[in-house]
Amino acid sequence: MLTPVILCGGSGTRLWPLSRKSYPKQFAALTGPESLFQATARRHSGEGNAPPVIVTADAFRFIAAGQLAEAGVEPGTILLEPEPRNTGPAVLAAAMHALAQDPDAMLLIAPSDHVIGRPAALRAAIGAGMDAARDGRIVTFGAVPDRAETGYGWLEPDAGEGEGAVPLRRFVEKPGPAEAERMLAEGRHLWNMGLFLARADTLVAAFGTHAPDLVGPVRDSLDAAARDLDFLRLAAGPWSRLRQVSFDYAVMEKAANVAVVRCDAGWSDLGDWQAVARDVVAPSANVTAIDCDAATLLRAESPGQQIVGLGLQGIVAVAMPDAVLVADRARVQEVRRVVDLLRARGAAQADTFPRVHRPWGWYETLVGGERFVVKRICVAPGGILSLQSHLHRAEHWIVVTGTVRVTIAERTELLTENQSAYIPLGTVHRLENPGRLAAVLIEVQTGAYLAEDDIRRLEDAYARGADP
């Protein structure tokens, strides 16, 4: 039985404005109706696979759990990192946890934000690496290159070896153009897919040999981990002692027991907008390109939004409801400079979206002004907002679709479409969806102070603390 370990705690900015700190690219529907994370979870589910171990950040715990439920994937354990420490500690925590559950555990370490065009080819490659992994090797997978890519790491297999898992001679960090051209011409080198297959005990032993300083803090963090609803929350104190280090740097580039399997599965890490333009079929329903060249990428990410390009050459234009990126395609790897500039200006768009995800659903701000804010609220089936009150604002709720149960002070009632409720300032209240369909409401807030920190929680079904 193979246990997938899906790493989804990162929050990169290279696909801004679609990917932001509060809702990074792995959770976005970048390639179709499901997110990259959901596609990864479904790809590694089913016959021969145990329920996946998910490693994610505390801030993403409900997003990850909700998307797994939507995809119909039941997780084994969702490990919560107290703070980001790169993939090294994350892999070690998953391996130690799996080893404690099963001394013979076989793990597939998978990033959550890559695309695989030919899943059957990936499954075949994983099968080809199983014997080497059982024999105590750490198996990595190399995509067959079709260009002299300088944005990926490369792998050099040993010369003269046959098919299947072969010894790895060396890792090549992102090469310059000349070296990339040489490796492509030789025909032996592969792109590093960041996908790894190994026994859990092999991984733990490798960390003990090559990164022993990580072992103690990760073990202590696991030993002191606490159950929180459906999550296993790693202890923050020991975790804070860990250095930031990738799994590649901590182990893979130093270990001698590494093998590589050639994998022609249509892989891309979608690391920037140039990769998206090359490897993803862009949605066309709300895009109009007139006399634009093939190097131009136009994306409109909101329903009802239209983006039109006229006579563009080598341009990337991505429109979100609150931000638009227009860039020279040759410079899209510099997008993080844009994010840094927006942060320096205090622009909320640098890190957050108008739509804010909560364990019960989501809300988005439609309009605001002096002493008022209007929001759209979507409560998922079974979703329950906390029992709460506000010191500085009153609220009006109007049900647009669905049925909700409203508690206001001592009174509880059901409201359906076109019905409304008024919550006076300071009144204890709660909103929940007892139905099987999502409920949508319009909320009008009025008062002298309308920030999200004006909330006093009395009860919460999701065990959240004082934060909204």
Side-chain angles (χ1 to χ4, degrees):
M1 187 71 73
L2 181 63
T3 300
V5 175
I6 301 177
L7 308 179
C8 60
S11 56
T13 59
R14 288 185 294 172
L15 289 184
W16 187 92
L18 179 70
S19 174
R20 306 185 199 179
K21 183 178 180 180
S22 66
Y23 201 79
K25 77 166 182 174
Q26 62 265 31
F27 300 119
L30 185 60
T31 61
E34 63 182 2
S35 72
L36 297 174
F37 170 62
Q38 288 174 309
T40 301
R42 287 164 59 89
R43 187 161 55 240
H44 298 301
S45 297
E47 185 177 354
N49 292 306
V53 173
I54 309 298
V55 186
T56 192
D58 179 75
F60 306 145
R61 65 194 188 279
F62 293 116
I63 298 173
Q67 290 202 354
L68 287 173
E70 290 175 4
V73 176
E74 184 70 28
T77 302
I78 301 180
L79 294 174
L80 301 182
E81 299 175 280
E83 52 188 315
R85 285 294 184 265
N86 212 317
T87 56
V91 170
L92 179 56
M96 284 183 163
H97 173 74
L99 189 61
Q101 309 297 312
D102 177 6
D104 298 318
M106 179 72 73
L107 305 183
L108 179 72
I109 312 296
S112 60
D113 57 355
H114 294 182
V115 66
I116 300 292
R118 294 182 289 279
L122 176 61
R123 288 192 293 270
I126 293 170
M130 288 295 288
D131 285 344
R134 292 190 189 100
D135 290 341
R137 290 188 176 273
I138 304 175
V139 179
T140 187
F141 297 85
V144 178
D146 59 8
R147 62 186 181 278
E149 177 62 59
T150 59
Y152 296 156
W154 291 59
L155 306 170
E156 182 181 356
D158 265 356
E161 296 290 341
E163 295 296 318
V166 302
L168 180 69
R169 175 173 293 180
R170 66 178 180 123
F171 285 83
V172 181
E173 289 299 324
K174 296 176 181 179
E179 186 178 11
E181 290 285 0
R182 179 186 62 78
M183 290 189 293
L184 180 66
E186 286 184 4
R188 295 190 304 108
H189 295 76
L190 305 166
W191 290 333
N192 183 3
M193 295 172 63
L195 189 72
F196 309 98
L197 177 69
R199 297 196 322 247
D201 60 348
T202 299
L203 292 172
V204 173
F207 276 97
T209 300
H210 304 293
D213 61 301
L214 303 182
V215 174
V218 171
R219 180 182 294 115
D220 292 345
S221 191
L222 274 167
D223 288 345
R227 281 286 169 190
D228 180 358
L229 300 176
D230 295 329
F231 311 104
L232 184 62
R233 189 181 293 276
L234 298 171
W239 197 262
S240 68
R241 303 200 304 266
L242 292 162
R243 58 188 167 105
Q244 293 250 12
V245 61
S246 70
F247 178 56
D248 274 355
Y249 186 79
V251 171
M252 295 300 291
E253 295 180 10
K254 302 171 183 176
N257 60 330
V258 177
V260 59
V261 174
R262 186 181 183 92
C263 181
D264 190 5
W267 168 86
S268 173
D269 74 344
L270 299 184
D272 57 32
W273 284 115
Q274 188 157 224
V276 173
R278 182 179 55 243
D279 300 324
V280 175
V281 177
S284 58
N286 48 358
V287 171
T288 302
I290 303 171
D291 297 333
C292 298
D293 69 1
T296 291
L297 172 67
L298 304 177
R299 290 183 66 111
E301 301 295 339
S302 299
Q305 192 176 47
Q306 291 288 324
I307 185 168
V308 180
L310 175 61
L312 302 179
Q313 296 183 3
I315 294 295
V316 169
V318 182
M320 301 291 293
D322 63 332
V324 178
L325 171 71
V326 181
D328 186 327
R329 178 166 164 170
R331 299 185 61 182
V332 291
Q333 291 198 4
E334 303 175 43
V335 166
R336 65 182 60 192
R337 290 177 53 193
V338 175
V339 177
D340 290 341
L341 178 61
L342 290 174
R343 284 175 180 160
R345 292 177 176 174
Q349 289 91 335
D351 294 311
T352 61
F353 287 96
R355 178 171 294 186
V356 178
H357 292 265
R358 293 286 188 247
W360 44 260
W362 53 263
Y363 71 84
E364 59 187 355
T365 300
L366 302 178
V367 66
E370 187 175 354
R371 297 183 65 91
F372 82 94
V373 170
V374 180
K375 294 180 177 179
R376 175 165 39 219
I377 299 175
C378 180
V379 186
I384 307 174
L385 280 68
S386 60
L387 185 67
Q388 60 186 254
S389 64
H390 310 291
L391 293 175
H392 303 287
R393 71 176 186 251
E395 294 175 340
H396 299 254
W397 291 335
I398 302 97
V399 181
V400 179
T401 61
T403 299
V404 296
R405 181 181 294 119
V406 175
T407 298
I408 302 174
E410 302 299 324
R411 186 180 84 255
T412 298
E413 61 181 333
L414 291 176
L415 299 180
T416 59
E417 296 179 12
N418 297 317
Q419 294 183 314
S420 63
Y422 170 64
I423 302 96
L425 183 151
T427 302
V428 173
H429 60 282
R430 167 175 273 165
L431 177 66
E432 54 189 300
N433 180 359
R436 296 184 178 182
L437 301 176
V440 177
L441 302 88
I442 297 297
E443 177 183 81
V444 180
Q445 302 176 356
T446 57
Y449 181 77
L450 302 173
E452 284 300 314
D453 58 0
D454 177 21
I455 182 172
R456 183 171 67 97
R457 284 203 179 99
L458 304 177
E459 294 177 8
D460 186 64
Y462 309 103
R464 292 171 295 172
D467 292 336

